[in-house]
Each structure stands twice: as structure tokens, then as C-alpha cells.
Amino acid sequence: SQGHEVTGVELVRAAMEDFVKEQGVTGELVETTKGGMLVADVPLKEAKGKQGAGLKFVIGDFFKFTKEVNGTYAACFDRGSLVAIDPALREQYADVLARVMAKGGRVLLVTVEHGGFRKGLGPPFSVPPEQVESLFS
């Protein structure tokens, strides 16, 4: 986390558990429920060779994620969510990000654009630059 507070948002608990195991975390996670979502504090100081300000996971339906669950964020890194969800849900996805981002916050978004190499099927679904502009401007 390089001294930054980091929050991972996942649909399923197994993703968090796999990460914690891979990172060698030996301490107990501190879990609470906020806004119908599980919030787990991961004890990074207990991880082998890891240092940082902190790591949390929020587990549940991303579309129910609000700033009441865990505050707002100055930055977001999406390396696979927008391309994985049904294209019909993209506006709703962008609305959720807008609600949890702090004023002036930045989103680093990794997408793909393809000409139907999978005959329009996905994921990953193609996200053209014009749609990114439309969703996040």
C-alpha cells in the first residue's frame, strides 16, 4: 500500500480470503457490517514483509456501495470491473463511483476495445473511448 489506505471491493468473500492467504497475513481480520456490506480490516503489519497505512476489503454488491460504508476516495484503480459487467449496467457503475469519489478524485481505468473477436460476447466486453468519456465526464 506504500503508506496509503487501500480498499478492495469484491463481490465474494473468497477473493479476499485468497488475497489474505497469498500475502501471508497471520493476524485476525476485524470485520463489521455497514450498509449491508461486510467491511474487513486486514492487519498488514502481520503480513510477511508488508508495511502500509492499511488495507480494507468491502464485500458485497458493488451497486449498493456508498460513502456511508467506508467514506470517500481520492483515487480509484479499476483494472477489470467495467469490462466485466453487463454493458447495460455501465451507467449505474459510473454513478456508484461518482458517489464514493472525493471532490477532485481520480479514476485509473483499464479497459479493452475490440472489434468483436468474441462476437460481442464477454467478458471482457469492449468499452470504446467515447463511452468512457460519456460515463466519467
Side-chain angles (χ1 to χ4, degrees):
S1 71
Q2 301 291 318
H4 297 280
E5 191 75 30
V6 175
T7 302
V9 182
E10 291 289 347
L11 177 63
V12 294
R13 184 183 182 99
M16 173 188 68
E17 291 170 346
D18 289 347
F19 177 85
V20 166
K21 184 177 179 181
E22 289 169 6
Q23 297 303 310
V25 175
T26 58
E28 292 293 317
L29 279 63
V30 178
E31 298 180 357
T32 57
T33 301
K34 295 180 184 174
M37 300 183 86
L38 173 69
V39 179
D41 288 295
V42 178
L44 284 182
K45 66 179 185 265
E46 299 295 330
K48 298 175 188 166
K50 305 292 181 197
Q51 294 182 14
L55 174 64
K56 291 184 181 187
F57 275 94
V58 176
I59 309 296
D61 182 351
F62 177 81
F63 295 106
K64 295 180 180 176
F65 189 42
T66 65
K67 63 183 176 183
E68 288 73 30
V69 173
N70 198 52
T72 59
Y73 299 89
C76 169
F77 175 48
D78 172 350
R79 71 154 198 84
S81 296
L82 187 62
V83 298
I85 63 171
D86 183 326
L89 297 173
R90 288 179 181 164
E91 285 188 30
Q92 188 178 351
Y93 175 87
D95 289 344
V96 171
L97 279 184
R99 286 196 310 262
V100 299
M101 295 303 294
K103 184 178 174 118
R106 301 287 185 161
V107 176
L108 175 58
L109 182 65
V110 178
T111 65
V112 295
E113 183 178 22
H114 55 78
F117 67 88
R118 297 184 68 197
K119 298 186 190 229
L121 301 176
F125 295 102
S126 181
V127 183
E130 303 80 35
Q131 188 171 40
V132 172
E133 282 290 325
S134 172
L135 289 170
F136 296 100
S137 60

